Amino acid sequence: FADRRRRRYRRGNSFSIADISVAAALGNLVPLGNGPDKAEYPKLAGWLESIYQRPSIAGPYAHMEKIMARVLG
């Protein structure tokens, strides 16, 4: 993530399974309050937010957030 200024995604300038994998792992922590701290890790938090704004991810992520809200009460 430190090299983000040169590349948009984990493996270069193309969205890939690497981005999905990392975003899924980090995304599971967000509803628990353990996602990347925006102040401490601004590039990582910004990257994760940009992934969740992609149309292919936004819908499924919103659905997962609803499920997690029910599970976590």
Side-chain angles (χ1 to χ4, degrees):
F1 294 95
D3 195 29
R4 181 152 155 62
R5 67 183 177 276
R6 291 189 216 141
R7 59 185 188 182
R8 186 172 177 189
Y9 300 108
R10 299 307 329 133
R11 300 294 301 156
N13 290 319
S14 298
F15 184 66
S16 73
I17 190 67
D19 298 289
I20 295 168
S21 297
V22 174
L26 292 173
N28 287 333
L29 299 174
V30 171
L32 302 172
N34 294 320
D37 184 318
K38 290 180 182 181
E40 191 169 352
Y41 304 103
K43 291 180 183 180
L44 176 60
W47 171 83
L48 187 59
E49 183 64 31
S50 74
I51 296 299
Y52 288 141
Q53 291 176 359
R54 291 181 60 85
S56 61
I57 302 295
Y61 184 71
H63 181 69
M64 189 269 306
E65 281 185 315
K66 289 178 187 176
I67 291 170
M68 291 299 286
R70 279 190 257 156
V71 168
L72 298 174

Short mmCIF file of all heavy atoms in Angstrom, two decimals:
data_model
loop_
_atom_site.label_atom_id
_atom_site.label_comp_id
_atom_site.label_asym_id
_atom_site.label_seq_id
_atom_site.Cartn_x
_atom_site.Cartn_y
_atom_site.Cartn_z
N PHE A 1 0.81 -1.19 0.00
CA PHE A 1 0.00 0.00 0.00
C PHE A 1 0.86 1.25 0.00
O PHE A 1 0.42 2.31 -0.37
CB PHE A 1 -0.96 -0.01 1.19
CG PHE A 1 -1.96 -1.11 1.07
CD1 PHE A 1 -1.77 -2.33 1.67
CD2 PHE A 1 -3.10 -0.93 0.31
CE1 PHE A 1 -2.69 -3.34 1.55
CE2 PHE A 1 -4.03 -1.94 0.17
CZ PHE A 1 -3.82 -3.13 0.79
N ALA A 2 2.10 1.12 0.42
CA ALA A 2 2.99 2.27 0.43
C ALA A 2 3.30 2.75 -0.99
O ALA A 2 3.58 3.91 -1.21
CB ALA A 2 4.29 1.92 1.15
N ASP A 3 3.22 1.85 -1.95
CA ASP A 3 3.53 2.18 -3.34
C ASP A 3 2.29 2.56 -4.13
O ASP A 3 2.29 2.58 -5.34
CB ASP A 3 4.22 0.97 -3.99
CG ASP A 3 4.90 1.33 -5.28
OD1 ASP A 3 5.32 2.49 -5.43
OD2 ASP A 3 5.00 0.46 -6.14
N ARG A 4 1.21 2.91 -3.45
CA ARG A 4 -0.08 3.17 -4.09
C ARG A 4 -0.03 4.33 -5.08
O ARG A 4 -0.78 4.35 -6.03
CB ARG A 4 -1.13 3.45 -3.01
CG ARG A 4 -2.50 3.71 -3.57
CD ARG A 4 -3.55 3.32 -2.58
NE ARG A 4 -4.79 4.01 -2.75
CZ ARG A 4 -5.57 3.97 -3.81
NH1 ARG A 4 -5.23 3.30 -4.86
NH2 ARG A 4 -6.70 4.63 -3.84
N ARG A 5 0.86 5.27 -4.90
CA ARG A 5 0.90 6.42 -5.81
C ARG A 5 1.25 6.00 -7.23
O ARG A 5 0.94 6.69 -8.17
CB ARG A 5 1.88 7.46 -5.30
CG ARG A 5 3.32 7.04 -5.34
CD ARG A 5 4.23 8.13 -4.74
NE ARG A 5 5.59 7.68 -4.72
CZ ARG A 5 6.13 6.93 -3.78
NH1 ARG A 5 5.40 6.54 -2.74
NH2 ARG A 5 7.39 6.57 -3.85
N ARG A 6 1.90 4.87 -7.38
CA ARG A 6 2.28 4.40 -8.71
C ARG A 6 1.30 3.41 -9.30
O ARG A 6 1.33 3.15 -10.49
CB ARG A 6 3.66 3.76 -8.65
CG ARG A 6 4.73 4.77 -8.40
CD ARG A 6 6.10 4.18 -8.57
NE ARG A 6 6.95 4.79 -7.56
CZ ARG A 6 7.87 4.16 -6.88
NH1 ARG A 6 8.09 2.89 -7.09
NH2 ARG A 6 8.59 4.79 -5.99
N ARG A 7 0.48 2.82 -8.47
CA ARG A 7 -0.47 1.84 -8.98
C ARG A 7 -1.79 1.97 -8.24
O ARG A 7 -1.82 2.33 -7.07
CB ARG A 7 0.08 0.43 -8.88
CG ARG A 7 0.43 0.03 -7.48
CD ARG A 7 1.08 -1.32 -7.46
NE ARG A 7 1.22 -1.73 -6.07
CZ ARG A 7 1.78 -2.83 -5.71
NH1 ARG A 7 2.24 -3.66 -6.59
NH2 ARG A 7 1.87 -3.13 -4.43
N ARG A 8 -2.85 1.67 -8.95
CA ARG A 8 -4.18 1.86 -8.40
C ARG A 8 -4.65 0.64 -7.61
O ARG A 8 -5.40 0.77 -6.64
CB ARG A 8 -5.14 2.14 -9.55
CG ARG A 8 -6.50 2.49 -9.13
CD ARG A 8 -7.32 2.94 -10.30
NE ARG A 8 -8.67 3.21 -9.86
CZ ARG A 8 -9.66 3.46 -10.66
NH1 ARG A 8 -9.47 3.48 -11.95
NH2 ARG A 8 -10.84 3.69 -10.19
N TYR A 9 -4.23 -0.52 -8.03
CA TYR A 9 -4.68 -1.77 -7.40
C TYR A 9 -3.48 -2.57 -6.89
O TYR A 9 -2.34 -2.21 -7.12
CB TYR A 9 -5.50 -2.59 -8.40
CG TYR A 9 -6.72 -1.86 -8.87
CD1 TYR A 9 -6.81 -1.34 -10.16
CD2 TYR A 9 -7.80 -1.65 -8.02
CE1 TYR A 9 -7.93 -0.66 -10.59
CE2 TYR A 9 -8.92 -0.96 -8.44
CZ TYR A 9 -8.98 -0.47 -9.72
OH TYR A 9 -10.09 0.21 -10.14
N ARG A 10 -3.73 -3.65 -6.21
CA ARG A 10 -2.68 -4.43 -5.58
C ARG A 10 -1.64 -4.95 -6.58
O ARG A 10 -0.47 -5.02 -6.28
CB ARG A 10 -3.25 -5.62 -4.79
CG ARG A 10 -4.16 -5.25 -3.67
CD ARG A 10 -3.63 -4.24 -2.64
NE ARG A 10 -2.21 -4.28 -2.43
CZ ARG A 10 -1.43 -3.19 -2.40
NH1 ARG A 10 -1.92 -2.00 -2.58
NH2 ARG A 10 -0.15 -3.30 -2.18
N ARG A 11 -2.07 -5.37 -7.75
CA ARG A 11 -1.15 -5.96 -8.72
C ARG A 11 -0.93 -5.06 -9.92
O ARG A 11 -0.61 -5.54 -10.99
CB ARG A 11 -1.66 -7.33 -9.17
CG ARG A 11 -1.81 -8.34 -8.07
CD ARG A 11 -0.52 -8.76 -7.45
NE ARG A 11 0.35 -9.33 -8.48
CZ ARG A 11 1.65 -9.37 -8.40
NH1 ARG A 11 2.25 -8.90 -7.35
NH2 ARG A 11 2.37 -9.89 -9.36
N GLY A 12 -1.08 -3.77 -9.77
CA GLY A 12 -0.84 -2.85 -10.87
C GLY A 12 -2.02 -1.94 -11.12
O GLY A 12 -2.65 -1.47 -10.19
N ASN A 13 -2.33 -1.72 -12.38
CA ASN A 13 -3.42 -0.80 -12.73
C ASN A 13 -4.70 -1.51 -13.13
O ASN A 13 -5.62 -0.87 -13.62
CB ASN A 13 -2.96 0.13 -13.85
CG ASN A 13 -1.92 1.11 -13.35
OD1 ASN A 13 -2.03 1.64 -12.25
ND2 ASN A 13 -0.89 1.34 -14.14
N SER A 14 -4.77 -2.81 -12.92
CA SER A 14 -5.97 -3.58 -13.24
C SER A 14 -6.54 -4.23 -11.99
O SER A 14 -5.80 -4.84 -11.21
CB SER A 14 -5.65 -4.67 -14.27
OG SER A 14 -5.21 -4.10 -15.47
N PHE A 15 -7.83 -4.09 -11.81
CA PHE A 15 -8.54 -4.73 -10.70
C PHE A 15 -8.42 -6.24 -10.86
O PHE A 15 -8.61 -6.77 -11.96
CB PHE A 15 -10.00 -4.29 -10.74
CG PHE A 15 -10.85 -4.79 -9.62
CD1 PHE A 15 -10.62 -4.38 -8.33
CD2 PHE A 15 -11.87 -5.68 -9.86
CE1 PHE A 15 -11.41 -4.83 -7.29
CE2 PHE A 15 -12.67 -6.13 -8.83
CZ PHE A 15 -12.43 -5.70 -7.54
N SER A 16 -8.10 -6.96 -9.80
CA SER A 16 -7.88 -8.40 -9.90
C SER A 16 -8.37 -9.14 -8.65
O SER A 16 -8.83 -8.52 -7.69
CB SER A 16 -6.39 -8.70 -10.11
OG SER A 16 -5.67 -8.46 -8.90
N ILE A 17 -8.21 -10.44 -8.69
CA ILE A 17 -8.59 -11.28 -7.56
C ILE A 17 -7.77 -10.90 -6.32
O ILE A 17 -8.23 -11.07 -5.19
CB ILE A 17 -8.44 -12.78 -7.90
CG1 ILE A 17 -9.05 -13.67 -6.83
CG2 ILE A 17 -6.99 -13.15 -8.14
CD1 ILE A 17 -10.54 -13.58 -6.72
N ALA A 18 -6.58 -10.36 -6.50
CA ALA A 18 -5.77 -9.92 -5.36
C ALA A 18 -6.50 -8.82 -4.59
O ALA A 18 -6.53 -8.83 -3.35
CB ALA A 18 -4.41 -9.43 -5.83
N ASP A 19 -7.10 -7.88 -5.32
CA ASP A 19 -7.85 -6.80 -4.67
C ASP A 19 -9.08 -7.35 -3.95
O ASP A 19 -9.39 -6.94 -2.83
CB ASP A 19 -8.29 -5.77 -5.72
CG ASP A 19 -7.11 -5.13 -6.40
OD1 ASP A 19 -6.41 -4.35 -5.74
OD2 ASP A 19 -6.87 -5.44 -7.58
N ILE A 20 -9.76 -8.26 -4.59
CA ILE A 20 -10.96 -8.86 -3.98
C ILE A 20 -10.59 -9.61 -2.71
O ILE A 20 -11.26 -9.48 -1.69
CB ILE A 20 -11.67 -9.78 -4.99
CG1 ILE A 20 -12.19 -8.96 -6.17
CG2 ILE A 20 -12.79 -10.56 -4.32
CD1 ILE A 20 -12.67 -9.79 -7.34
N SER A 21 -9.51 -10.37 -2.75
CA SER A 21 -9.08 -11.15 -1.59
C SER A 21 -8.72 -10.27 -0.40
O SER A 21 -9.15 -10.52 0.73
CB SER A 21 -7.89 -12.04 -1.96
OG SER A 21 -8.26 -12.96 -2.94
N VAL A 22 -7.91 -9.25 -0.65
CA VAL A 22 -7.49 -8.37 0.44
C VAL A 22 -8.69 -7.58 0.97
O VAL A 22 -8.88 -7.45 2.18
CB VAL A 22 -6.36 -7.43 -0.01
CG1 VAL A 22 -6.03 -6.40 1.07
CG2 VAL A 22 -5.12 -8.23 -0.38
N ALA A 23 -9.53 -7.08 0.06
CA ALA A 23 -10.71 -6.31 0.48
C ALA A 23 -11.67 -7.18 1.29
O ALA A 23 -12.25 -6.71 2.27
CB ALA A 23 -11.42 -5.72 -0.72
N ALA A 24 -11.83 -8.44 0.90
CA ALA A 24 -12.72 -9.34 1.64
C ALA A 24 -12.20 -9.58 3.06
O ALA A 24 -12.97 -9.54 4.03
CB ALA A 24 -12.87 -10.66 0.90
N ALA A 25 -10.91 -9.81 3.17
CA ALA A 25 -10.33 -10.05 4.50
C ALA A 25 -10.47 -8.82 5.39
O ALA A 25 -10.89 -8.92 6.54
CB ALA A 25 -8.86 -10.44 4.35
N LEU A 26 -10.13 -7.65 4.85
CA LEU A 26 -10.25 -6.42 5.64
C LEU A 26 -11.71 -6.06 5.88
O LEU A 26 -12.07 -5.57 6.94
CB LEU A 26 -9.54 -5.27 4.93
CG LEU A 26 -8.03 -5.37 4.85
CD1 LEU A 26 -7.47 -4.25 3.98
CD2 LEU A 26 -7.41 -5.36 6.22
N GLY A 27 -12.55 -6.29 4.86
CA GLY A 27 -13.97 -5.96 4.97
C GLY A 27 -14.67 -6.72 6.06
O GLY A 27 -15.63 -6.23 6.66
N ASN A 28 -14.21 -7.93 6.36
CA ASN A 28 -14.81 -8.70 7.45
C ASN A 28 -14.51 -8.08 8.80
O ASN A 28 -15.22 -8.34 9.77
CB ASN A 28 -14.31 -10.14 7.40
CG ASN A 28 -14.91 -10.91 6.26
OD1 ASN A 28 -16.01 -10.61 5.80
ND2 ASN A 28 -14.20 -11.90 5.77
N LEU A 29 -13.47 -7.29 8.89
CA LEU A 29 -13.11 -6.65 10.16
C LEU A 29 -13.86 -5.35 10.40
O LEU A 29 -14.05 -4.94 11.54
CB LEU A 29 -11.60 -6.37 10.18
CG LEU A 29 -10.69 -7.59 10.07
CD1 LEU A 29 -9.25 -7.15 9.95
CD2 LEU A 29 -10.89 -8.51 11.26
N VAL A 30 -14.27 -4.68 9.33
CA VAL A 30 -14.91 -3.36 9.45
C VAL A 30 -16.17 -3.39 10.32
O VAL A 30 -16.30 -2.57 11.24
CB VAL A 30 -15.18 -2.75 8.05
CG1 VAL A 30 -16.02 -1.50 8.16
CG2 VAL A 30 -13.87 -2.47 7.34
N PRO A 31 -17.12 -4.32 10.10
CA PRO A 31 -18.32 -4.32 10.95
C PRO A 31 -18.02 -4.59 12.43
O PRO A 31 -18.80 -4.25 13.30
CB PRO A 31 -19.18 -5.44 10.36
CG PRO A 31 -18.70 -5.64 8.98
CD PRO A 31 -17.23 -5.31 9.03
N LEU A 32 -16.87 -5.19 12.69
CA LEU A 32 -16.48 -5.48 14.07
C LEU A 32 -15.74 -4.31 14.71
O LEU A 32 -15.33 -4.37 15.86
CB LEU A 32 -15.59 -6.73 14.10
CG LEU A 32 -16.21 -7.99 13.52
CD1 LEU A 32 -15.16 -9.10 13.44
CD2 LEU A 32 -17.41 -8.43 14.35
N GLY A 33 -15.54 -3.24 13.92
CA GLY A 33 -14.83 -2.07 14.43
C GLY A 33 -13.32 -2.22 14.37
O GLY A 33 -12.60 -1.46 15.02
N ASN A 34 -12.84 -3.18 13.61
CA ASN A 34 -11.41 -3.45 13.54
C ASN A 34 -10.83 -3.21 12.15
O ASN A 34 -9.80 -3.76 11.80
CB ASN A 34 -11.11 -4.89 13.96
CG ASN A 34 -11.42 -5.12 15.41
OD1 ASN A 34 -11.15 -4.28 16.24
ND2 ASN A 34 -12.02 -6.25 15.71
N GLY A 35 -11.49 -2.39 11.36
CA GLY A 35 -10.98 -2.08 10.03
C GLY A 35 -9.77 -1.17 10.12
O GLY A 35 -9.39 -0.73 11.20
N PRO A 36 -9.15 -0.86 8.98
CA PRO A 36 -7.96 0.00 9.02
C PRO A 36 -8.29 1.41 9.52
O PRO A 36 -9.27 2.01 9.08
CB PRO A 36 -7.48 0.03 7.56
CG PRO A 36 -8.64 -0.44 6.75
CD PRO A 36 -9.48 -1.29 7.64
N ASP A 37 -7.52 1.88 10.44
CA ASP A 37 -7.68 3.22 11.02
C ASP A 37 -7.31 4.26 9.96
O ASP A 37 -6.18 4.27 9.46
CB ASP A 37 -6.77 3.35 12.23
CG ASP A 37 -6.94 4.65 12.96
OD1 ASP A 37 -7.05 5.71 12.29
OD2 ASP A 37 -6.94 4.64 14.19
N LYS A 38 -8.24 5.15 9.63
CA LYS A 38 -8.01 6.15 8.58
C LYS A 38 -6.88 7.10 8.93
O LYS A 38 -6.16 7.56 8.06
CB LYS A 38 -9.29 6.93 8.30
CG LYS A 38 -10.33 6.10 7.61
CD LYS A 38 -11.59 6.90 7.34
CE LYS A 38 -12.63 6.00 6.69
NZ LYS A 38 -13.86 6.71 6.38
N ALA A 39 -6.72 7.40 10.21
CA ALA A 39 -5.65 8.31 10.62
C ALA A 39 -4.29 7.63 10.55
O ALA A 39 -3.30 8.23 10.14
CB ALA A 39 -5.91 8.82 12.03
N GLU A 40 -4.24 6.37 10.95
CA GLU A 40 -2.97 5.65 10.99
C GLU A 40 -2.58 5.06 9.63
O GLU A 40 -1.40 4.99 9.29
CB GLU A 40 -3.03 4.53 12.03
CG GLU A 40 -1.70 3.91 12.33
CD GLU A 40 -1.75 2.99 13.54
OE1 GLU A 40 -2.78 2.94 14.24
OE2 GLU A 40 -0.74 2.31 13.76
N TYR A 41 -3.58 4.62 8.87
CA TYR A 41 -3.35 3.98 7.57
C TYR A 41 -4.22 4.62 6.49
O TYR A 41 -5.11 3.99 5.93
CB TYR A 41 -3.66 2.49 7.65
CG TYR A 41 -2.88 1.77 8.71
CD1 TYR A 41 -3.48 1.41 9.91
CD2 TYR A 41 -1.54 1.45 8.52
CE1 TYR A 41 -2.77 0.74 10.89
CE2 TYR A 41 -0.82 0.80 9.50
CZ TYR A 41 -1.44 0.43 10.68
OH TYR A 41 -0.72 -0.21 11.65
N PRO A 42 -3.98 5.89 6.17
CA PRO A 42 -4.86 6.59 5.24
C PRO A 42 -4.87 5.98 3.83
O PRO A 42 -5.92 5.94 3.18
CB PRO A 42 -4.33 8.01 5.22
CG PRO A 42 -2.92 7.91 5.69
CD PRO A 42 -2.90 6.74 6.64
N LYS A 43 -3.75 5.50 3.34
CA LYS A 43 -3.70 4.92 2.00
C LYS A 43 -4.47 3.61 1.95
O LYS A 43 -5.21 3.35 1.01
CB LYS A 43 -2.26 4.71 1.54
CG LYS A 43 -1.53 6.01 1.28
CD LYS A 43 -0.12 5.75 0.83
CE LYS A 43 0.62 7.06 0.64
NZ LYS A 43 1.99 6.84 0.20
N LEU A 44 -4.29 2.79 2.97
CA LEU A 44 -5.00 1.51 3.03
C LEU A 44 -6.51 1.75 3.15
O LEU A 44 -7.30 1.14 2.43
CB LEU A 44 -4.51 0.68 4.21
CG LEU A 44 -5.23 -0.63 4.47
CD1 LEU A 44 -5.11 -1.55 3.25
CD2 LEU A 44 -4.66 -1.30 5.71
N ALA A 45 -6.91 2.65 4.02
CA ALA A 45 -8.33 2.96 4.20
C ALA A 45 -8.92 3.54 2.92
O ALA A 45 -10.05 3.20 2.53
CB ALA A 45 -8.53 3.91 5.37
N GLY A 46 -8.18 4.40 2.24
CA GLY A 46 -8.64 4.99 0.99
C GLY A 46 -8.78 3.95 -0.11
O GLY A 46 -9.74 3.96 -0.88
N TRP A 47 -7.80 3.05 -0.18
CA TRP A 47 -7.86 1.97 -1.16
C TRP A 47 -9.09 1.09 -0.91
O TRP A 47 -9.84 0.79 -1.82
CB TRP A 47 -6.58 1.13 -1.10
CG TRP A 47 -6.68 -0.12 -1.92
CD1 TRP A 47 -6.47 -0.23 -3.27
CD2 TRP A 47 -7.04 -1.41 -1.46
NE1 TRP A 47 -6.68 -1.52 -3.67
CE2 TRP A 47 -7.04 -2.28 -2.56
CE3 TRP A 47 -7.38 -1.93 -0.21
CZ2 TRP A 47 -7.35 -3.62 -2.46
CZ3 TRP A 47 -7.69 -3.28 -0.12
CH2 TRP A 47 -7.67 -4.11 -1.23
N LEU A 48 -9.30 0.71 0.35
CA LEU A 48 -10.44 -0.14 0.69
C LEU A 48 -11.76 0.55 0.33
O LEU A 48 -12.66 -0.06 -0.26
CB LEU A 48 -10.42 -0.50 2.17
CG LEU A 48 -11.43 -1.51 2.65
CD1 LEU A 48 -11.28 -2.84 1.91
CD2 LEU A 48 -11.31 -1.73 4.15
N GLU A 49 -11.87 1.82 0.63
CA GLU A 49 -13.08 2.57 0.29
C GLU A 49 -13.29 2.62 -1.23
O GLU A 49 -14.41 2.46 -1.71
CB GLU A 49 -12.98 4.00 0.85
CG GLU A 49 -14.22 4.82 0.61
CD GLU A 49 -15.46 4.28 1.31
OE1 GLU A 49 -15.35 3.68 2.38
OE2 GLU A 49 -16.56 4.47 0.76
N SER A 50 -12.21 2.79 -1.98
CA SER A 50 -12.35 2.82 -3.44
C SER A 50 -12.80 1.46 -3.99
O SER A 50 -13.55 1.40 -4.96
CB SER A 50 -11.04 3.25 -4.10
OG SER A 50 -10.07 2.23 -4.06
N ILE A 51 -12.37 0.39 -3.36
CA ILE A 51 -12.80 -0.95 -3.79
C ILE A 51 -14.30 -1.11 -3.52
O ILE A 51 -15.04 -1.61 -4.37
CB ILE A 51 -11.99 -2.05 -3.07
CG1 ILE A 51 -10.52 -1.97 -3.46
CG2 ILE A 51 -12.57 -3.43 -3.35
CD1 ILE A 51 -10.22 -2.17 -4.92
N TYR A 52 -14.75 -0.67 -2.36
CA TYR A 52 -16.17 -0.83 -2.02
C TYR A 52 -17.09 0.08 -2.83
O TYR A 52 -18.29 -0.14 -2.85
CB TYR A 52 -16.39 -0.62 -0.53
CG TYR A 52 -15.84 -1.76 0.29
CD1 TYR A 52 -15.21 -1.54 1.49
CD2 TYR A 52 -15.94 -3.07 -0.16
CE1 TYR A 52 -14.69 -2.59 2.22
CE2 TYR A 52 -15.42 -4.11 0.56
CZ TYR A 52 -14.80 -3.87 1.75
OH TYR A 52 -14.30 -4.90 2.47
N GLN A 53 -16.54 1.05 -3.50
CA GLN A 53 -17.34 1.91 -4.36
C GLN A 53 -17.49 1.35 -5.77
O GLN A 53 -18.29 1.86 -6.54
CB GLN A 53 -16.74 3.31 -4.41
CG GLN A 53 -16.88 4.04 -3.10
CD GLN A 53 -16.19 5.40 -3.10
OE1 GLN A 53 -15.59 5.80 -4.07
NE2 GLN A 53 -16.29 6.09 -1.98
N ARG A 54 -16.73 0.34 -6.10
CA ARG A 54 -16.86 -0.29 -7.43
C ARG A 54 -18.24 -0.93 -7.53
O ARG A 54 -18.68 -1.62 -6.61
CB ARG A 54 -15.79 -1.37 -7.63
CG ARG A 54 -14.39 -0.83 -7.74
CD ARG A 54 -13.40 -1.96 -7.95
NE ARG A 54 -13.70 -2.71 -9.16
CZ ARG A 54 -13.29 -2.39 -10.37
NH1 ARG A 54 -12.55 -1.32 -10.54
NH2 ARG A 54 -13.60 -3.12 -11.42
N PRO A 55 -18.94 -0.76 -8.64
CA PRO A 55 -20.28 -1.35 -8.79
C PRO A 55 -20.31 -2.86 -8.56
O PRO A 55 -21.27 -3.37 -7.99
CB PRO A 55 -20.67 -0.99 -10.22
CG PRO A 55 -19.88 0.22 -10.54
CD PRO A 55 -18.58 0.07 -9.79
N SER A 56 -19.26 -3.56 -8.98
CA SER A 56 -19.24 -5.01 -8.82
C SER A 56 -19.09 -5.45 -7.36
O SER A 56 -19.38 -6.59 -7.01
CB SER A 56 -18.11 -5.62 -9.64
OG SER A 56 -16.85 -5.12 -9.22
N ILE A 57 -18.66 -4.55 -6.51
CA ILE A 57 -18.44 -4.86 -5.09
C ILE A 57 -19.50 -4.19 -4.21
O ILE A 57 -19.91 -4.75 -3.18
CB ILE A 57 -17.03 -4.40 -4.65
CG1 ILE A 57 -15.95 -5.06 -5.50
CG2 ILE A 57 -16.80 -4.65 -3.18
CD1 ILE A 57 -15.83 -6.55 -5.36
N ALA A 58 -19.96 -3.02 -4.58
CA ALA A 58 -20.86 -2.22 -3.73
C ALA A 58 -22.13 -2.98 -3.35
O ALA A 58 -22.52 -2.97 -2.18
CB ALA A 58 -21.21 -0.91 -4.42
N GLY A 59 -22.78 -3.61 -4.30
CA GLY A 59 -24.02 -4.34 -4.00
C GLY A 59 -23.81 -5.49 -3.04
O GLY A 59 -24.47 -5.57 -1.99
N PRO A 60 -22.89 -6.42 -3.35
CA PRO A 60 -22.64 -7.52 -2.42
C PRO A 60 -22.17 -7.06 -1.04
O PRO A 60 -22.54 -7.63 -0.02
CB PRO A 60 -21.55 -8.35 -3.12
CG PRO A 60 -21.73 -8.04 -4.57
CD PRO A 60 -22.18 -6.60 -4.61
N TYR A 61 -21.36 -5.99 -0.99
CA TYR A 61 -20.88 -5.50 0.29
C TYR A 61 -22.02 -4.92 1.12
O TYR A 61 -22.10 -5.15 2.32
CB TYR A 61 -19.77 -4.46 0.10
CG TYR A 61 -19.19 -4.00 1.41
CD1 TYR A 61 -18.39 -4.84 2.17
CD2 TYR A 61 -19.46 -2.73 1.91
CE1 TYR A 61 -17.86 -4.44 3.38
CE2 TYR A 61 -18.93 -2.31 3.12
CZ TYR A 61 -18.15 -3.17 3.85
OH TYR A 61 -17.64 -2.76 5.05
N ALA A 62 -22.92 -4.20 0.48
CA ALA A 62 -24.08 -3.65 1.19
C ALA A 62 -24.93 -4.78 1.76
O ALA A 62 -25.42 -4.69 2.90
CB ALA A 62 -24.91 -2.77 0.26
N HIS A 63 -25.08 -5.84 1.00
CA HIS A 63 -25.84 -7.00 1.47
C HIS A 63 -25.15 -7.64 2.67
O HIS A 63 -25.78 -7.98 3.67
CB HIS A 63 -25.99 -8.02 0.32
CG HIS A 63 -26.77 -9.23 0.69
ND1 HIS A 63 -28.13 -9.18 0.92
CD2 HIS A 63 -26.39 -10.51 0.86
CE1 HIS A 63 -28.55 -10.39 1.23
NE2 HIS A 63 -27.52 -11.21 1.20
N MET A 64 -23.83 -7.77 2.61
CA MET A 64 -23.07 -8.34 3.72
C MET A 64 -23.18 -7.47 4.96
O MET A 64 -23.30 -7.97 6.07
CB MET A 64 -21.60 -8.50 3.30
CG MET A 64 -20.74 -9.28 4.29
SD MET A 64 -19.89 -8.37 5.59
CE MET A 64 -18.96 -7.13 4.75
N GLU A 65 -23.17 -6.15 4.78
CA GLU A 65 -23.31 -5.24 5.92
C GLU A 65 -24.65 -5.45 6.63
O GLU A 65 -24.71 -5.43 7.86
CB GLU A 65 -23.19 -3.79 5.48
CG GLU A 65 -21.78 -3.33 5.26
CD GLU A 65 -21.71 -1.85 4.94
OE1 GLU A 65 -22.52 -1.37 4.12
OE2 GLU A 65 -20.85 -1.18 5.53
N LYS A 66 -25.72 -5.66 5.86
CA LYS A 66 -27.04 -5.90 6.46
C LYS A 66 -27.04 -7.20 7.25
O LYS A 66 -27.58 -7.26 8.37
CB LYS A 66 -28.12 -5.96 5.36
CG LYS A 66 -28.42 -4.63 4.73
CD LYS A 66 -29.45 -4.78 3.65
CE LYS A 66 -29.65 -3.50 2.89
NZ LYS A 66 -30.59 -3.64 1.78
N ILE A 67 -26.42 -8.23 6.70
CA ILE A 67 -26.36 -9.51 7.40
C ILE A 67 -25.54 -9.36 8.69
O ILE A 67 -25.96 -9.85 9.75
CB ILE A 67 -25.75 -10.59 6.49
CG1 ILE A 67 -26.72 -10.91 5.35
CG2 ILE A 67 -25.41 -11.84 7.28
CD1 ILE A 67 -26.14 -11.78 4.26
N MET A 68 -24.40 -8.70 8.61
CA MET A 68 -23.56 -8.53 9.80
C MET A 68 -24.27 -7.70 10.85
O MET A 68 -24.13 -7.98 12.06
CB MET A 68 -22.23 -7.87 9.41
CG MET A 68 -21.31 -8.75 8.59
SD MET A 68 -20.81 -10.26 9.42
CE MET A 68 -19.65 -9.60 10.60
N ALA A 69 -25.05 -6.72 10.45
CA ALA A 69 -25.79 -5.91 11.42
C ALA A 69 -26.80 -6.77 12.17
O ALA A 69 -26.97 -6.63 13.39
CB ALA A 69 -26.50 -4.77 10.71
N ARG A 70 -27.44 -7.70 11.46
CA ARG A 70 -28.39 -8.61 12.14
C ARG A 70 -27.66 -9.57 13.07
O ARG A 70 -28.12 -9.84 14.17
CB ARG A 70 -29.19 -9.39 11.11
CG ARG A 70 -30.36 -8.59 10.55
CD ARG A 70 -31.26 -9.46 9.73
NE ARG A 70 -30.93 -9.14 8.35
CZ ARG A 70 -31.12 -9.92 7.31
NH1 ARG A 70 -31.61 -11.10 7.47
NH2 ARG A 70 -30.79 -9.52 6.12
N VAL A 71 -26.54 -10.11 12.60
CA VAL A 71 -25.80 -11.08 13.40
C VAL A 71 -25.21 -10.44 14.65
O VAL A 71 -25.27 -11.01 15.74
CB VAL A 71 -24.67 -11.73 12.54
CG1 VAL A 71 -23.71 -12.53 13.40
CG2 VAL A 71 -25.27 -12.58 11.43
N LEU A 72 -24.66 -9.24 14.48
CA LEU A 72 -24.01 -8.58 15.60
C LEU A 72 -24.99 -7.82 16.49
O LEU A 72 -24.61 -7.36 17.56
CB LEU A 72 -22.91 -7.63 15.09
CG LEU A 72 -21.77 -8.33 14.33
CD1 LEU A 72 -20.83 -7.30 13.74
CD2 LEU A 72 -21.03 -9.29 15.23
N GLY A 73 -26.21 -7.67 15.98
CA GLY A 73 -27.28 -7.08 16.73
C GLY A 73 -27.16 -5.65 17.02
O GLY A 73 -27.52 -4.96 17.81
#
